[in-house]
């Protein structure tokens, strides 16, 4: 089998503009692979600054646009709403235009939205421009696992870890430097938010030459390491693809899989916690008497915890037959962090920020499980779109409800109790999603019974 894989790797043809095919040279394959890696990293860096930069300046934005607490809660619910609505479109767009072209367009949409929204002049315009940026984030969110599975089938864990680490780095950097950068730029919150459009514009560049890359180019990444678990996972994915060759991959009934539903609910609950944290945690600390700059740093600490852990957790997850123990460990950290915010928000601020940073690493774990719970590329695309779109749809009420509870209760007791309570079902469905099985097998079994 390895010799057959080698032949496939070395003779994969590409189509010229005239429609003919010719073998790739090793230098071309290596250059393209490096470009894909750069594109993945730059894309990941841009998947959260639109949100965490706003969280750091939420009070200034509220004052500037005249928002109430409930309306600010609606604003923090916009990201999951856009991810749910636009994320489901990603597989269809990728089939028509290619994943590289869709991600390239997504980065351009992020750049445009972030440049426009601070200067929209009113809440409606601010929301519309935010939605444009979030649309680009949504399709890129869904397609990152697909690109990793196609280009690096032998390195799902390590490449997921790489882009999860870059995502966490971009998230934490936006939380940490938005406030001081705003001060440097003259104290205008508009300038502090708009500056992140430059990072998104830079992320467009590596995808431009890859925008026409199609499935023929997939799998031409680095040679498989058949002795590793990641290599075994890649081999299983390839064998699954071969087994599915006789059937129609697009015929997968993803809703017949219990694992798909468990993963979708797990994704939704971790997204609820993450967007409440990104949107409100700095405000919790500020209300407890912490300065704006320190509150931004505390949020950055929470986000920066994902940098090393987002690289380590996917690698560990791919080496375990069941990811349930990791789910439980992250959930316990979340319960401890929310309890600390309830009883001593300022006194133990740094400890609570660290614990919630560990808990938020449920996101890279969920992405890793998306790649592990499907055997085929088509299966990963459908599972990623289903889990993320359904999950983000489920997460929409959370940040909005926190804003309403905060405004009407006059404090953070009830919102924090809600956050802690949601950790229990998150751990339960995460254990179910972590079982060693694939959605293709479950859907086929359900179809046979039906």
């Amino acid at each position: 089998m390895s010799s057959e894989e080698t032949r496939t790797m070395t003779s994969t043809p590409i189509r010229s503009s005239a429609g003919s095919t010719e073998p790739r040279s090793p230098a071309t394959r290596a250059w393209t692979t490096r470009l894909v890696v750069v594109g993945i990293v730059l894309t990941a860096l841009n998947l959260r600054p639109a949100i965490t930069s706003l969280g750091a300046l939420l009070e200034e934005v509220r004052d500037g646009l005249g928002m109430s607490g409930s309306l600010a809660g609606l604003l923090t619910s916009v990201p999951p709403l856009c991810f749910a609505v636009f994320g489901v479109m990603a597989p269809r767009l990728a089939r028509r235009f290619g994943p590289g072209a869709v991600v390239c367009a997504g980065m351009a949409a992020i750049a445009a939205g972030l440049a426009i929204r601070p200067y929209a002049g009113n809440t409606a315009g601010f929301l519309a421009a935010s939605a444009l940026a979030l649309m680009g984030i949504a399709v890129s969110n869904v397609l990152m696992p697909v690109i990793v599975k196609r280009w690096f089938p032998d390195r799902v864990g390590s490449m997921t870890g790489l882009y999860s680490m870059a995502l966490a780095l971009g998230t934490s950097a936006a939380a940490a430097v938005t406030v001081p950068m705003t001060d440097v730029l003259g104290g205008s919150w508009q300038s502090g938010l708009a500056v992140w459009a430059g990072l998104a514009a830079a992320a467009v560049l590596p995808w431009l030459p890859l925008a026409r890359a199609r499935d023929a180019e997939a799998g031409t990444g680095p040679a498989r390491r058949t002795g590793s678990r990641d290599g075994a996972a890649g081999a299983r994915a390839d064998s699954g693809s071969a087994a599915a060759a006789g059937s129609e991959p697009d015929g997968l009934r993803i809703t017949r899989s219990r694992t798909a539903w468990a993963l979708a609910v797990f994704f939704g609950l971790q997204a609820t916690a993450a967007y409440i944290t990104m949107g409100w945690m700095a405000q919790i600390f500020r209300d407890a008497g912490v300065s704006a700059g320190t509150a931004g740093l505390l949020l950055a600490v929470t986000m920066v915890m994902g940098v090393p852990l987002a690289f380590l957790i996917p690698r560990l997850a791919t080496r375990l037959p069941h990811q349930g123990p990791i789910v439980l460990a992250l959930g316990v950290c979340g319960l401890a962090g929310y309890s600390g915010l309830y009883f001593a928000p300022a006194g133990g601020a740094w400890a609570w920020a660290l614990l919630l940073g560990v808990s938020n690493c449920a996101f890279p774990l969920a992405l890793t499980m998306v790649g592990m719970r499907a055997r085929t590329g088509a299966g990963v695309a459908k599972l990623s779109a289903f889990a993320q779109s359904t999950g983000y749809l489920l997460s929409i009420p959370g940040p909005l409800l926190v804003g309403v509870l905060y405004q009407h209760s006059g404090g953070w007791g009830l919102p924090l109790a809600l956050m802690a309570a949601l950790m229990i079902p998150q751990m339960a469905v995460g254990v179910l999603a972590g079982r060693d099985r694939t959605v293709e097998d479950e859907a086929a079994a359900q179809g046979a019974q039906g």
Side-chain angles (χ1 to χ4, degrees):
M1 181 175 176
S2 60
S3 62
E4 182 178 346
E5 288 174 346
T6 303
R7 288 195 302 271
T8 301
M9 296 282 290
T10 56
S11 62
T12 303
I14 57 173
R15 296 188 180 276
S16 66
S17 58
S20 62
T21 60
E22 57 184 36
R24 292 174 176 273
S25 69
T28 300
R29 289 199 306 273
W31 179 86
T32 305
T33 301
R34 293 190 192 101
L35 199 59
V36 172
V37 172
V38 172
I40 288 173
V41 170
L42 283 176
T43 296
L45 286 172
N46 281 281
L47 294 182
R48 293 299 178 270
I51 302 164
T52 51
S53 62
L54 176 60
L57 293 173
L58 184 58
E59 185 171 312
E60 287 76 10
V61 174
R62 286 176 59 188
D63 292 341
L65 297 178
M67 291 185 187
S68 66
S70 297
L71 190 56
L74 175 63
L75 181 61
T76 57
S77 292
V78 168
L81 173 63
C82 290
F83 294 166
V85 172
F86 298 119
V88 74
M89 301 162 51
R92 181 175 298 178
L93 292 172
R95 285 195 299 269
R96 180 169 183 179
F97 301 106
V102 177
V103 173
C104 183
M107 293 299 103
I110 296 171
L114 294 186
I116 294 170
R117 75 173 180 176
Y119 305 104
N122 54 59
T123 300
F126 190 94
L127 289 172
S130 295
L132 175 62
L134 293 166
M135 177 177 65
I137 296 173
V139 294
S140 302
N141 269 336
V142 171
L143 293 180
M144 282 294 98
V146 177
I147 289 172
V148 166
K149 187 82 168 183
R150 290 184 176 184
W151 282 89
F152 307 96
D154 59 326
R155 300 182 180 180
V156 171
S158 57
M159 289 303 299
T160 300
L162 177 64
Y163 82 74
S164 297
M165 184 172 65
L167 188 150
L169 182 61
T171 305
S172 58
V177 306
T178 296
V179 171
M181 189 162 50
T182 300
D183 294 337
V184 170
L185 295 173
S188 167
W189 62 265
Q190 288 95 338
S191 300
L193 292 181
V195 72
W196 294 103
L199 182 62
V204 174
L205 301 178
W207 292 108
L208 290 174
L210 295 167
R212 299 178 64 187
R214 296 301 180 114
D215 291 354
E217 296 178 316
T220 58
R224 290 170 172 81
R225 300 189 304 274
T226 56
S228 68
R229 283 292 186 95
D230 280 357
R236 287 196 301 271
D238 289 345
S239 64
S241 298
S247 61
E248 178 57 50
D250 289 344
L252 172 65
R253 299 286 295 275
I254 197 75
T255 55
R256 289 181 172 177
S257 167
R258 294 178 181 177
T259 295
W261 280 106
L263 189 53
V265 176
F266 176 70
F267 204 101
L269 290 172
Q270 68 80 29
T272 299
Y275 287 106
I276 289 173
T277 299
M278 286 187 281
W280 289 108
M281 197 176 81
Q283 190 66 50
I284 293 173
F285 286 126
R286 292 178 73 168
D287 287 350
V290 177
S291 68
T294 302
L297 284 176
L298 287 165
L299 179 59
V301 166
T302 298
M303 300 302 137
V304 83
M305 286 301 296
V307 176
L309 292 178
F311 185 72
L312 295 174
I313 286 176
R315 294 173 68 88
L316 175 61
T318 56
R319 286 161 171 77
L320 293 177
H322 194 306
Q323 289 74 48
I326 306 177
V327 170
L328 295 176
L330 299 180
V332 169
C333 288
L335 287 172
Y338 291 130
S339 299
L341 283 177
Y342 182 88
F343 291 108
W350 296 100
W352 318 141
L354 288 170
L355 285 168
L356 291 175
V358 174
S359 178
N360 279 349
C361 286
F363 176 71
L365 177 61
L367 292 179
T368 305
M369 289 196 287
V370 167
M372 297 179 70
R373 297 287 90 90
R375 287 188 288 106
T376 66
V380 171
K382 284 202 168 185
L383 179 58
S384 181
F386 175 74
Q388 294 199 44
S389 296
T390 305
Y392 284 127
L393 188 65
L394 293 173
S395 73
I396 292 170
L400 176 60
L401 184 56
V402 165
V404 172
L405 290 175
Y406 170 56
Q407 179 171 340
H408 291 283
S409 68
W412 288 104
L414 285 178
L416 288 170
L418 171 66
M419 297 178 213
L422 290 176
M423 276 288 142
I424 305 302
Q426 178 178 320
M427 289 189 282
V429 294
V431 169
L432 293 177
R435 297 174 298 173
D436 188 11
R437 56 197 65 194
T438 66
V439 293
E440 290 93 346
D441 293 341
E442 284 189 340
Q446 290 293 323
Q449 292 176 4

